[in-house]
């Protein structure tokens, strides 16, 4: 037996391991007739609008994507090659719910030629529901859904079989549309203390929440991690940013390489009176479960520094109160009544590099900063607008180092 899983078996007494049946929508789209949906606005096409039936003589591939979804963007060149090779037999149509302005900026940078449909009213997403991207639907010439998958599975071999009217053996991508992260993973609400660990769960996006803000009943007493790798579990437990300030110094790093086989779902909920100890409790549980030890060490490393532009003017909107709100995503940073250090935290998340705040700016502010995955350097223009810049330096910083026991 693998040593890691042997450890898990030994320490059952420390955790409540609950068999979970996630609320997955079992209705299959395979073999169903696709509705004749309208594409009310479409770019990179001979007409400004269209409908699904316009392509009925071809195999149609609907690829749902977003500019902030790295796997989606990485697959676009592959899809363009597929479209060029099978130009007379298939039609790839990409679908996004992002704004036309955002997509036009992306197209200018990437020179992307596939048709882009704007699904602002979510009619296409409702017809082919999902909660993880990429999400790809294949519809044959008879308007029958033949595959629900992701863009990485679209191959010449697959398309050749479809064009030859042969059966294809492609697992259906079934997202768990009923997953509710606000509820305990165990599904049991009546408890004093709960720790749940499960393997990877299909159809649920990777995510974590340490419940430090908001209005949840579990505020400051819960740690939730869904479909994350072992490295992320340690980073959450030690309150370190993911994949940025962690050094893996173990003999065999395979256990720390993310895969469905190496991913876990973890949920810790403790009584309010010991909520402040939940991270140390999680650290103790990881130490009991896995053959590794984690320590915090100071090391000299290259970093990015966010600072004021010398001689420049700071142009920020001071907050006038209200709820503290911080949203960081592939679309950018949006914050209300929050400190400027969040800019460094946001850049750190987006670049996977250590970013430190040396602006010396105190107080809380309202701020909106867009981010462009296809042109990361553009963030410097956005920072310049508010009187800030980034520089490369070396600093001694705390790192999370993981060793074998």
């Amino acid at each position: 037996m693998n040593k890691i899983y042997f450890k898990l078996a030994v320490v059952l007494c420390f955790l409540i391991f609950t068999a979970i049946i996630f609320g997955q929508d079992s209705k299959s789209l395979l073999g169903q007739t696709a509705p004749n949906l309208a594409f009310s606005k479409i770019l990179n096409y001979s007409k400004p609008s269209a409908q699904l039936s316009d392509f009925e003589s071809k195999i149609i591939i609907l690829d749902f994507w977003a500019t902030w979804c790295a796997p989606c963007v990485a697959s676009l060149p592959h899809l363009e090659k597929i479209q060029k090779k099978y130009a007379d037999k298939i039609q790839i149509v990409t679908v996004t719910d992002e704004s036309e302005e955002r997509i036009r900026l992306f197209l200018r940078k990437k020179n992307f030629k596939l048709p882009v449909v704007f699904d602002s009213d979510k009619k296409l997403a409702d017809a082919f529901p999902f909660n993880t991207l990429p999400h790809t639907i294949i519809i044959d010439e008879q308007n029958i859904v033949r595959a629900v998958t992701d863009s990485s599975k679209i191959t010449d071999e697959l398309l050749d079989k479809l064009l030859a009217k042969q059966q294809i053996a492609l697992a259906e991508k079934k997202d768990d549309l009923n997953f509710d992260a606000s509820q305990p993973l165990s599904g049991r609400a009546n408890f004093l203390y709960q720790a749940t660990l499960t393997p990877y769960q299909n159809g649920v996006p990777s995510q974590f929440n340490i419940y430090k803000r908001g209005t949840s009943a579990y505020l400051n007493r819960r740690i939730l991690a869904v479909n994350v790798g072992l490295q992320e579990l340690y980073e959450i437990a030690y309150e370190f940013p993911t994949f940025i300030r962690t050094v893996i110094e173990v003999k065999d790093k395979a256990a720390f390489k993310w895969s469905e086989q190496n991913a876990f779902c973890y949920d810790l909920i403790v009584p309010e009176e010991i909520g402040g100890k939940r991270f140390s409790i999680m650290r103790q549980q990881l130490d009991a479960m896995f053959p590794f030890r984690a320590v915090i060490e100071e090391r000299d490393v290259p970093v990015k520094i966010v600072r004021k532009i010398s001689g420049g003017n700071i142009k920020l909107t001071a907050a006038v109160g209200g709820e503290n709100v911080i949203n960081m995503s592939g679309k950018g940073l949006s914050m209300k009544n929050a400190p400027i250090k969040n800019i460094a935290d946001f850049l750190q998340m987006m670049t996977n590099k250590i970013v430190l705040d040396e602006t010396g700016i105190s107080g809380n502010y309202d701020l909106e900063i867009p981010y462009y995955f296809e042109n990361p350097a553009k963030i410097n223009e956005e920072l310049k607008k508010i009187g800030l810049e980034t520089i490369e330096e070396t600093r001694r910083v705390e790192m999370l180092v993981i060793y074998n026991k």
Side-chain angles (χ1 to χ4, degrees), residues 43 62 70 110 128 165 232 249 267 297 328 347 369:
L43 297 181
L62 295 179
K110 288 295 187 180
F128 306 104
K165 313 299 183 187
E232 289 170 281
E249 294 190 350
D267 195 10
E297 299 177 0
M328 300 182 186
L347 294 178
I369 299 180

Side-chain angles (χ1 to χ4, degrees), residues 147-159:
V148 180
T149 182
D150 66 74
S151 47
S152 68
K153 307 294 194 306
I154 308 301
T155 64
D156 291 359
E157 180 183 8
L158 176 72
L159 294 174

Side-chain angles (χ1 to χ4, degrees), residues 10 28 61 160 168 172 196 224 259 293 306 338 345 361 382:
V10 169
S28 174
I61 299 175
D160 288 341
I168 57 172
E172 183 177 6
T196 303
L224 171 69
S259 68
R293 64 184 180 91
V306 179
D345 293 342
I361 299 173
E382 301 296 333

Side-chain angles (χ1 to χ4, degrees), residues 300-303 305 392-396:
D300 291 323
V301 294
V303 301
I305 302 293
E392 305 280 346
E393 293 281 357
T394 297
R395 293 284 191 275
R396 175 157 287 231

